């Protein structure tokens, strides 16, 4: 019986070590992924883009449509313009409006997406509310600008780009307590 108990203890130890290693791997995966993306220059949602060529191509006109969504977030979120016509290389600034309809402060993060998807490589955001988390107080309304340039390298067959933002609530950033504040959870 002691031999079986010893083997069971060894097996339990091996399983515990495996669980700790898996937890550690999962914990370190996010910063590792972020560092790989930063080095490779992909998935840079939180940094302004660089514009290499500032020449405006007046011979082409691109329609940029704007869309706004929230995911399980009690905010009203909308673009102030449905669409704009731009020339590649032209600096354009538009705005979105967001308001918190809940009676407590909430923090959210906007994530952009593009249609068609390949147009995202040619859409350069120079200033965007999506670069930082946004905390809105109870009942607060805010106008947030987006400055962008459509790269002149955009393929000629793409004549319409849809810029869509989805706001997600940042877990653990809700302020609890009385309407005047309280401790952040």
């Amino acid at each position: 019986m002691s031999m079986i108990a010893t083997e069971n203890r060894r097996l339990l130890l091996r399983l515990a070590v495996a669980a700790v290693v898996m937890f550690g791997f999962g914990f370190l995966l996010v910063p590792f992924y972020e560092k790989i993306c930063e080095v490779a220059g992909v998935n840079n949602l939180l940094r302004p883009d660089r514009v290499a060529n500032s020449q405006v191509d007046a011979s082409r006109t691109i329609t940029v449509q704007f869309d706004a969504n929230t995911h399980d977030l009690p905010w009203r979120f909308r673009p102030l313009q449905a669409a704009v016509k731009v020339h590649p290389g032209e600096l354009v600034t538009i705005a979105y409006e967001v308001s918190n309809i809940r009676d407590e402060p909430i923090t959210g993060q906007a994530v952009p997406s593009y249609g068609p998807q390949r147009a995202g490589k040619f859409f350069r955001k120079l200033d965007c509310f999506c670069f930082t988390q946004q905390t809105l107080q109870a009942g607060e309304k805010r106008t947030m600008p987006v400055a962008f340039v459509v790269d002149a390298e955009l393929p000629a067959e793409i004549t319409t780009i849809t810029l869509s933002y989805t706001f997600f609530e940042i877990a653990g950033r809700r302020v609890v307590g009385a309407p005047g504040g309280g401790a952040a959870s």
Side-chain angles (χ1 to χ4, degrees), residues 4-51:
I4 292 176
T6 303
E7 285 189 26
N8 283 345
R9 274 192 218 114
R10 264 203 266 165
L11 178 61
L12 178 64
L13 181 62
R14 287 181 183 159
L15 290 174
V17 167
V20 168
V21 168
M22 286 189 294
F23 176 78
F25 179 74
F27 183 76
L28 293 174
L29 194 58
V30 171
F32 184 65
Y33 173 78
E34 288 173 350
K35 190 52 95 175
I36 288 174
C37 289
E38 180 182 323
V39 169
V42 295
N43 205 12
N44 64 344
L45 300 177
L46 302 178
R47 289 191 323 250
D49 292 319
R50 292 189 182 136
V51 177

Side-chain angles (χ1 to χ4, degrees), residues 2 5-6 31 36 43 45 55 62 70 72 79 81 85 90 105 114 120 136 152 161 171:
S2 72
T6 303
I36 288 174
N43 205 12
L45 300 177
Q55 294 289 339
I62 309 297
T70 59
D72 295 334
Q81 296 173 263
K85 296 211 180 276
E90 176 184 7
Y114 307 92
L136 269 65
I161 299 173

